[in-house]
PDB file of all heavy atoms in Angstrom:
ATOM      1  N   ARG A 120      -3.562  15.457  16.040  1.00  0.00           N
ATOM      2  CA  ARG A 120      -5.045  15.492  16.332  1.00  0.00           C
ATOM      3  C   ARG A 120      -5.682  16.864  16.147  1.00  0.00           C
ATOM      4  O   ARG A 120      -6.778  16.957  15.491  1.00  0.00           O
ATOM      5  CB  ARG A 120      -5.268  14.948  17.677  1.00  0.00           C
ATOM      6  CG  ARG A 120      -6.821  14.601  17.912  1.00  0.00           C
ATOM      7  CD  ARG A 120      -6.851  13.838  19.190  1.00  0.00           C
ATOM      8  NE  ARG A 120      -7.253  14.554  20.285  1.00  0.00           N
ATOM      9  CZ  ARG A 120      -8.490  14.529  20.830  1.00  0.00           C
ATOM     10  NH1 ARG A 120      -9.392  13.865  20.325  1.00  0.00           N
ATOM     11  NH2 ARG A 120      -8.736  15.312  21.815  1.00  0.00           N
ATOM     12  N   PHE A 123      -6.266  17.614  12.550  1.00  0.00           N
ATOM     13  CA  PHE A 123      -7.402  16.864  11.917  1.00  0.00           C
ATOM     14  C   PHE A 123      -8.641  17.500  12.444  1.00  0.00           C
ATOM     15  O   PHE A 123      -9.624  17.792  11.520  1.00  0.00           O
ATOM     16  CB  PHE A 123      -7.285  15.371  12.401  1.00  0.00           C
ATOM     17  CG  PHE A 123      -8.670  14.676  12.118  1.00  0.00           C
ATOM     18  CD1 PHE A 123      -8.957  14.190  10.888  1.00  0.00           C
ATOM     19  CD2 PHE A 123      -9.495  14.343  13.318  1.00  0.00           C
ATOM     20  CE1 PHE A 123     -10.191  13.625  10.728  1.00  0.00           C
ATOM     21  CE2 PHE A 123     -10.760  13.688  13.160  1.00  0.00           C
ATOM     22  CZ  PHE A 123     -11.049  13.290  11.861  1.00  0.00           C
ATOM     23  N   ILE A 124      -8.733  17.743  13.766  1.00  0.00           N
ATOM     24  CA  ILE A 124      -9.953  18.423  14.291  1.00  0.00           C
ATOM     25  C   ILE A 124     -10.296  19.791  13.604  1.00  0.00           C
ATOM     26  O   ILE A 124     -11.446  20.016  13.190  1.00  0.00           O
ATOM     27  CB  ILE A 124      -9.997  18.524  15.821  1.00  0.00           C
ATOM     28  CG1 ILE A 124      -9.866  17.171  16.404  1.00  0.00           C
ATOM     29  CG2 ILE A 124     -11.102  19.441  16.335  1.00  0.00           C
ATOM     30  CD1 ILE A 124      -9.812  17.254  18.019  1.00  0.00           C
ATOM     31  N   ALA A 127     -11.287  19.071   9.895  1.00  0.00           N
ATOM     32  CA  ALA A 127     -12.663  18.624   9.773  1.00  0.00           C
ATOM     33  C   ALA A 127     -13.708  19.600  10.237  1.00  0.00           C
ATOM     34  O   ALA A 127     -14.884  19.603   9.667  1.00  0.00           O
ATOM     35  CB  ALA A 127     -12.837  17.311  10.602  1.00  0.00           C
ATOM     36  N   PHE A 161     -26.975  15.332  17.201  1.00  0.00           N
ATOM     37  CA  PHE A 161     -26.225  14.508  18.219  1.00  0.00           C
ATOM     38  C   PHE A 161     -26.678  13.103  18.278  1.00  0.00           C
ATOM     39  O   PHE A 161     -25.808  12.153  18.323  1.00  0.00           O
ATOM     40  CB  PHE A 161     -26.475  15.075  19.568  1.00  0.00           C
ATOM     41  CG  PHE A 161     -25.751  16.437  19.798  1.00  0.00           C
ATOM     42  CD1 PHE A 161     -26.447  17.642  19.791  1.00  0.00           C
ATOM     43  CD2 PHE A 161     -24.389  16.427  19.849  1.00  0.00           C
ATOM     44  CE1 PHE A 161     -25.688  18.842  19.844  1.00  0.00           C
ATOM     45  CE2 PHE A 161     -23.767  17.551  20.053  1.00  0.00           C
ATOM     46  CZ  PHE A 161     -24.339  18.841  19.987  1.00  0.00           C
ATOM     47  N   CYS A 164     -26.374  12.126  13.533  1.00  0.00           N
ATOM     48  CA  CYS A 164     -25.211  12.528  12.702  1.00  0.00           C
ATOM     49  C   CYS A 164     -23.883  12.252  13.316  1.00  0.00           C
ATOM     50  O   CYS A 164     -22.998  11.769  12.678  1.00  0.00           O
ATOM     51  CB  CYS A 164     -25.368  14.068  12.345  1.00  0.00           C
ATOM     52  SG  CYS A 164     -26.664  14.284  11.279  1.00  0.00           S
ATOM     53  N   PHE A 165     -23.760  12.425  14.661  1.00  0.00           N
ATOM     54  CA  PHE A 165     -22.485  12.116  15.363  1.00  0.00           C
ATOM     55  C   PHE A 165     -22.153  10.643  15.156  1.00  0.00           C
ATOM     56  O   PHE A 165     -21.011  10.465  14.774  1.00  0.00           O
ATOM     57  CB  PHE A 165     -22.560  12.586  16.780  1.00  0.00           C
ATOM     58  CG  PHE A 165     -21.687  12.065  17.724  1.00  0.00           C
ATOM     59  CD1 PHE A 165     -20.195  12.340  17.577  1.00  0.00           C
ATOM     60  CD2 PHE A 165     -21.832  11.131  18.669  1.00  0.00           C
ATOM     61  CE1 PHE A 165     -19.183  11.889  18.470  1.00  0.00           C
ATOM     62  CE2 PHE A 165     -20.900  10.650  19.512  1.00  0.00           C
ATOM     63  CZ  PHE A 165     -19.594  11.016  19.354  1.00  0.00           C
ATOM     64  N   PRO A 166     -23.114   9.795  15.232  1.00  0.00           N
ATOM     65  CA  PRO A 166     -22.658   8.372  14.971  1.00  0.00           C
ATOM     66  C   PRO A 166     -22.217   8.147  13.581  1.00  0.00           C
ATOM     67  O   PRO A 166     -21.375   7.331  13.346  1.00  0.00           O
ATOM     68  CB  PRO A 166     -23.847   7.612  15.355  1.00  0.00           C
ATOM     69  CG  PRO A 166     -24.712   8.491  16.166  1.00  0.00           C
ATOM     70  CD  PRO A 166     -24.381   9.836  15.852  1.00  0.00           C
ATOM     71  N   VAL A 167     -22.929   8.786  12.673  1.00  0.00           N
ATOM     72  CA  VAL A 167     -22.417   8.653  11.206  1.00  0.00           C
ATOM     73  C   VAL A 167     -20.975   9.138  11.066  1.00  0.00           C
ATOM     74  O   VAL A 167     -20.215   8.498  10.387  1.00  0.00           O
ATOM     75  CB  VAL A 167     -23.407   9.369  10.292  1.00  0.00           C
ATOM     76  CG1 VAL A 167     -22.967   9.184   8.803  1.00  0.00           C
ATOM     77  CG2 VAL A 167     -24.870   8.844  10.459  1.00  0.00           C
ATOM     78  N   MET A 168     -20.710  10.289  11.719  1.00  0.00           N
ATOM     79  CA  MET A 168     -19.393  10.848  11.656  1.00  0.00           C
ATOM     80  C   MET A 168     -18.313   9.926  12.103  1.00  0.00           C
ATOM     81  O   MET A 168     -17.397   9.611  11.483  1.00  0.00           O
ATOM     82  CB  MET A 168     -19.399  12.171  12.327  1.00  0.00           C
ATOM     83  CG  MET A 168     -17.958  12.895  12.315  1.00  0.00           C
ATOM     84  SD  MET A 168     -17.847  14.330  13.186  1.00  0.00           S
ATOM     85  CE  MET A 168     -18.895  15.437  12.406  1.00  0.00           C
ATOM     86  N   VAL A 169     -18.563   9.379  13.409  1.00  0.00           N
ATOM     87  CA  VAL A 169     -17.711   8.514  13.900  1.00  0.00           C
ATOM     88  C   VAL A 169     -17.366   7.153  12.906  1.00  0.00           C
ATOM     89  O   VAL A 169     -16.289   6.734  12.749  1.00  0.00           O
ATOM     90  CB  VAL A 169     -18.171   7.906  15.171  1.00  0.00           C
ATOM     91  CG1 VAL A 169     -17.441   6.644  15.812  1.00  0.00           C
ATOM     92  CG2 VAL A 169     -18.252   9.038  16.288  1.00  0.00           C
ATOM     93  N   THR A 170     -18.446   6.672  12.354  1.00  0.00           N
ATOM     94  CA  THR A 170     -18.307   5.642  11.415  1.00  0.00           C
ATOM     95  C   THR A 170     -17.506   6.031  10.320  1.00  0.00           C
ATOM     96  O   THR A 170     -16.568   5.179   9.865  1.00  0.00           O
ATOM     97  CB  THR A 170     -19.804   5.214  10.968  1.00  0.00           C
ATOM     98  OG1 THR A 170     -20.546   4.960  12.103  1.00  0.00           O
ATOM     99  CG2 THR A 170     -19.731   3.796  10.177  1.00  0.00           C
ATOM    100  N   GLU A 171     -17.788   7.082   9.738  1.00  0.00           N
ATOM    101  CA  GLU A 171     -17.033   7.562   8.461  1.00  0.00           C
ATOM    102  C   GLU A 171     -15.486   7.587   8.817  1.00  0.00           C
ATOM    103  O   GLU A 171     -14.674   7.072   8.085  1.00  0.00           O
ATOM    104  CB  GLU A 171     -17.411   8.788   7.942  1.00  0.00           C
ATOM    105  CG  GLU A 171     -18.807   8.763   6.998  1.00  0.00           C
ATOM    106  CD  GLU A 171     -18.831   9.934   6.096  1.00  0.00           C
ATOM    107  OE1 GLU A 171     -17.915  10.516   5.669  1.00  0.00           O
ATOM    108  OE2 GLU A 171     -20.022  10.350   5.804  1.00  0.00           O
ATOM    109  N   VAL A 172     -15.096   8.293   9.923  1.00  0.00           N
ATOM    110  CA  VAL A 172     -13.705   8.503  10.230  1.00  0.00           C
ATOM    111  C   VAL A 172     -13.201   7.055  10.535  1.00  0.00           C
ATOM    112  O   VAL A 172     -12.008   6.862  10.025  1.00  0.00           O
ATOM    113  CB  VAL A 172     -13.555   9.388  11.487  1.00  0.00           C
ATOM    114  CG1 VAL A 172     -12.126   9.497  11.893  1.00  0.00           C
ATOM    115  CG2 VAL A 172     -14.271  10.733  11.196  1.00  0.00           C
ATOM    116  N   ALA A 173     -13.808   6.186  11.162  1.00  0.00           N
ATOM    117  CA  ALA A 173     -13.364   4.856  11.453  1.00  0.00           C
ATOM    118  C   ALA A 173     -12.959   4.092  10.116  1.00  0.00           C
ATOM    119  O   ALA A 173     -11.920   3.524  10.098  1.00  0.00           O
ATOM    120  CB  ALA A 173     -14.244   4.082  12.376  1.00  0.00           C
ATOM    121  N   LEU A 329     -22.719  19.029   8.683  1.00  0.00           N
ATOM    122  CA  LEU A 329     -21.599  18.280   9.376  1.00  0.00           C
ATOM    123  C   LEU A 329     -20.741  17.530   8.293  1.00  0.00           C
ATOM    124  O   LEU A 329     -19.811  16.723   8.477  1.00  0.00           O
ATOM    125  CB  LEU A 329     -22.127  17.223  10.323  1.00  0.00           C
ATOM    126  CG  LEU A 329     -22.687  17.753  11.641  1.00  0.00           C
ATOM    127  CD1 LEU A 329     -23.597  16.862  12.367  1.00  0.00           C
ATOM    128  CD2 LEU A 329     -21.464  18.294  12.451  1.00  0.00           C
ATOM    129  N   LEU A 336     -15.398  12.628   5.274  1.00  0.00           N
ATOM    130  CA  LEU A 336     -14.769  12.360   6.528  1.00  0.00           C
ATOM    131  C   LEU A 336     -14.117  10.916   6.563  1.00  0.00           C
ATOM    132  O   LEU A 336     -13.232  10.669   7.265  1.00  0.00           O
ATOM    133  CB  LEU A 336     -15.853  12.437   7.702  1.00  0.00           C
ATOM    134  CG  LEU A 336     -16.060  13.799   7.988  1.00  0.00           C
ATOM    135  CD1 LEU A 336     -17.386  14.194   8.657  1.00  0.00           C
ATOM    136  CD2 LEU A 336     -14.846  14.530   8.773  1.00  0.00           C
ATOM    137  N   LEU A 343      -5.596  10.185   9.430  1.00  0.00           N
ATOM    138  CA  LEU A 343      -5.551  10.411  10.856  1.00  0.00           C
ATOM    139  C   LEU A 343      -4.698   9.274  11.469  1.00  0.00           C
ATOM    140  O   LEU A 343      -4.693   8.030  10.877  1.00  0.00           O
ATOM    141  CB  LEU A 343      -6.926  10.381  11.408  1.00  0.00           C
ATOM    142  CG  LEU A 343      -7.168  10.648  12.892  1.00  0.00           C
ATOM    143  CD1 LEU A 343      -6.634  11.950  13.357  1.00  0.00           C
ATOM    144  CD2 LEU A 343      -8.542  10.216  13.345  1.00  0.00           C
ATOM    145  N   ASN A 348      -7.900   9.583  19.151  1.00  0.00           N
ATOM    146  CA  ASN A 348      -9.215   9.161  19.571  1.00  0.00           C
ATOM    147  C   ASN A 348     -10.250   9.604  18.616  1.00  0.00           C
ATOM    148  O   ASN A 348     -10.450  10.719  18.552  1.00  0.00           O
ATOM    149  CB  ASN A 348      -9.422   9.657  20.996  1.00  0.00           C
ATOM    150  CG  ASN A 348     -10.653   9.122  21.651  1.00  0.00           C
ATOM    151  OD1 ASN A 348     -11.601   8.887  20.883  1.00  0.00           O
ATOM    152  ND2 ASN A 348     -10.577   8.985  22.928  1.00  0.00           N
ATOM    153  N   ILE A 349     -10.902   8.752  17.911  1.00  0.00           N
ATOM    154  CA  ILE A 349     -11.799   9.045  16.833  1.00  0.00           C
ATOM    155  C   ILE A 349     -13.163   9.689  17.607  1.00  0.00           C
ATOM    156  O   ILE A 349     -13.698  10.550  17.043  1.00  0.00           O
ATOM    157  CB  ILE A 349     -12.256   7.844  16.022  1.00  0.00           C
ATOM    158  CG1 ILE A 349     -11.061   7.421  15.186  1.00  0.00           C
ATOM    159  CG2 ILE A 349     -13.426   8.166  15.142  1.00  0.00           C
ATOM    160  CD1 ILE A 349     -11.290   6.196  14.280  1.00  0.00           C
ATOM    161  N   VAL A 350     -13.532   9.020  18.671  1.00  0.00           N
ATOM    162  CA  VAL A 350     -14.836   9.329  19.303  1.00  0.00           C
ATOM    163  C   VAL A 350     -14.788  10.653  19.884  1.00  0.00           C
ATOM    164  O   VAL A 350     -15.613  11.635  19.511  1.00  0.00           O
ATOM    165  CB  VAL A 350     -15.198   8.385  20.325  1.00  0.00           C
ATOM    166  CG1 VAL A 350     -16.501   8.624  20.998  1.00  0.00           C
ATOM    167  CG2 VAL A 350     -15.306   6.871  19.740  1.00  0.00           C
ATOM    168  N   SER A 351     -13.751  11.040  20.626  1.00  0.00           N
ATOM    169  CA  SER A 351     -13.705  12.397  21.188  1.00  0.00           C
ATOM    170  C   SER A 351     -13.435  13.399  20.076  1.00  0.00           C
ATOM    171  O   SER A 351     -14.032  14.536  20.110  1.00  0.00           O
ATOM    172  CB  SER A 351     -12.655  12.509  22.343  1.00  0.00           C
ATOM    173  OG  SER A 351     -11.513  12.311  21.768  1.00  0.00           O
ATOM    174  N   SER A 352     -12.616  13.045  19.208  1.00  0.00           N
ATOM    175  CA  SER A 352     -12.403  14.087  17.963  1.00  0.00           C
ATOM    176  C   SER A 352     -13.640  14.382  17.330  1.00  0.00           C
ATOM    177  O   SER A 352     -13.948  15.547  17.005  1.00  0.00           O
ATOM    178  CB  SER A 352     -11.438  13.545  17.009  1.00  0.00           C
ATOM    179  OG  SER A 352     -10.266  13.060  17.551  1.00  0.00           O
ATOM    180  N   SER A 353     -14.435  13.349  16.938  1.00  0.00           N
ATOM    181  CA  SER A 353     -15.768  13.504  16.320  1.00  0.00           C
ATOM    182  C   SER A 353     -16.706  14.333  17.212  1.00  0.00           C
ATOM    183  O   SER A 353     -17.458  15.171  16.692  1.00  0.00           O
ATOM    184  CB  SER A 353     -16.409  12.219  15.971  1.00  0.00           C
ATOM    185  OG  SER A 353     -15.527  11.484  15.215  1.00  0.00           O
ATOM    186  N   ALA A 354     -16.848  14.117  18.521  1.00  0.00           N
ATOM    187  CA  ALA A 354     -17.669  14.789  19.376  1.00  0.00           C
ATOM    188  C   ALA A 354     -17.168  16.371  19.443  1.00  0.00           C
ATOM    189  O   ALA A 354     -18.085  17.311  19.224  1.00  0.00           O
ATOM    190  CB  ALA A 354     -17.519  14.296  20.795  1.00  0.00           C
ATOM    191  N   PHE A 355     -15.950  16.580  19.341  1.00  0.00           N
ATOM    192  CA  PHE A 355     -15.414  17.899  19.293  1.00  0.00           C
ATOM    193  C   PHE A 355     -15.870  18.634  17.934  1.00  0.00           C
ATOM    194  O   PHE A 355     -16.333  19.812  17.946  1.00  0.00           O
ATOM    195  CB  PHE A 355     -13.916  17.873  19.269  1.00  0.00           C
ATOM    196  CG  PHE A 355     -13.426  19.135  19.976  1.00  0.00           C
ATOM    197  CD1 PHE A 355     -13.548  19.244  21.403  1.00  0.00           C
ATOM    198  CD2 PHE A 355     -13.034  20.153  19.107  1.00  0.00           C
ATOM    199  CE1 PHE A 355     -12.975  20.426  21.918  1.00  0.00           C
ATOM    200  CE2 PHE A 355     -12.401  21.288  19.801  1.00  0.00           C
ATOM    201  CZ  PHE A 355     -12.386  21.535  21.050  1.00  0.00           C
ATOM    202  N   ILE A 356     -15.750  17.871  16.761  1.00  0.00           N
ATOM    203  CA  ILE A 356     -16.115  18.501  15.544  1.00  0.00           C
ATOM    204  C   ILE A 356     -17.595  18.736  15.515  1.00  0.00           C
ATOM    205  O   ILE A 356     -17.911  19.863  15.036  1.00  0.00           O
ATOM    206  CB  ILE A 356     -15.786  17.542  14.379  1.00  0.00           C
ATOM    207  CG1 ILE A 356     -14.182  17.332  14.332  1.00  0.00           C
ATOM    208  CG2 ILE A 356     -16.197  17.966  13.029  1.00  0.00           C
ATOM    209  CD1 ILE A 356     -13.654  16.094  13.667  1.00  0.00           C
ATOM    210  N   THR A 357     -18.419  17.811  15.999  1.00  0.00           N
ATOM    211  CA  THR A 357     -19.907  18.080  16.017  1.00  0.00           C
ATOM    212  C   THR A 357     -20.195  19.279  16.867  1.00  0.00           C
ATOM    213  O   THR A 357     -20.989  20.041  16.422  1.00  0.00           O
ATOM    214  CB  THR A 357     -20.524  16.849  16.561  1.00  0.00           C
ATOM    215  OG1 THR A 357     -20.179  15.721  15.956  1.00  0.00           O
ATOM    216  CG2 THR A 357     -22.064  16.894  16.549  1.00  0.00           C
ATOM    217  N   LEU A 358     -19.553  19.353  18.045  1.00  0.00           N
ATOM    218  CA  LEU A 358     -19.862  20.587  18.898  1.00  0.00           C
ATOM    219  C   LEU A 358     -19.476  21.800  18.311  1.00  0.00           C
ATOM    220  O   LEU A 358     -20.183  22.777  18.395  1.00  0.00           O
ATOM    221  CB  LEU A 358     -19.080  20.362  20.281  1.00  0.00           C
ATOM    222  CG  LEU A 358     -19.842  19.527  21.345  1.00  0.00           C
ATOM    223  CD1 LEU A 358     -18.834  19.284  22.469  1.00  0.00           C
ATOM    224  CD2 LEU A 358     -21.150  20.106  21.765  1.00  0.00           C
ATOM    225  N   ALA A 359     -18.351  21.841  17.652  1.00  0.00           N
ATOM    226  CA  ALA A 359     -17.817  23.001  17.021  1.00  0.00           C
ATOM    227  C   ALA A 359     -18.783  23.517  15.809  1.00  0.00           C
ATOM    228  O   ALA A 359     -19.131  24.611  15.759  1.00  0.00           O
ATOM    229  CB  ALA A 359     -16.475  22.796  16.436  1.00  0.00           C
ATOM    230  N   LEU A 527     -12.436   1.789  16.734  1.00  0.00           N
ATOM    231  CA  LEU A 527     -12.617   2.936  17.568  1.00  0.00           C
ATOM    232  C   LEU A 527     -11.865   2.820  18.898  1.00  0.00           C
ATOM    233  O   LEU A 527     -11.502   3.805  19.440  1.00  0.00           O
ATOM    234  CB  LEU A 527     -14.214   2.998  17.985  1.00  0.00           C
ATOM    235  CG  LEU A 527     -15.074   3.329  16.625  1.00  0.00           C
ATOM    236  CD1 LEU A 527     -16.614   3.311  17.211  1.00  0.00           C
ATOM    237  CD2 LEU A 527     -14.746   4.728  16.101  1.00  0.00           C
ATOM    238  N   LEU A 543     -22.783   4.220  21.053  1.00  0.00           N
ATOM    239  CA  LEU A 543     -22.489   4.212  19.538  1.00  0.00           C
ATOM    240  C   LEU A 543     -22.923   2.916  18.927  1.00  0.00           C
ATOM    241  O   LEU A 543     -23.364   2.885  17.931  1.00  0.00           O
ATOM    242  CB  LEU A 543     -20.991   4.383  19.327  1.00  0.00           C
ATOM    243  CG  LEU A 543     -20.418   5.753  19.478  1.00  0.00           C
ATOM    244  CD1 LEU A 543     -18.985   5.923  19.524  1.00  0.00           C
ATOM    245  CD2 LEU A 543     -21.058   6.745  18.471  1.00  0.00           C
TER     246      LEU A 543
END
Side-chain angles (χ1 to χ4, degrees):
R120 187 168 102 104
F123 166 75
I124 291 179
F161 290 107
C164 295
F165 165 65
V167 178
M168 180 183 294
V169 168
T170 311
E171 280 202 32
V172 178
L329 289 165
L336 288 156
L343 181 66
N348 185 327
I349 294 180
V350 178
S351 65
S352 308
S353 304
F355 208 81
I356 297 162
T357 306
L358 276 176
L527 295 177
L543 287 170

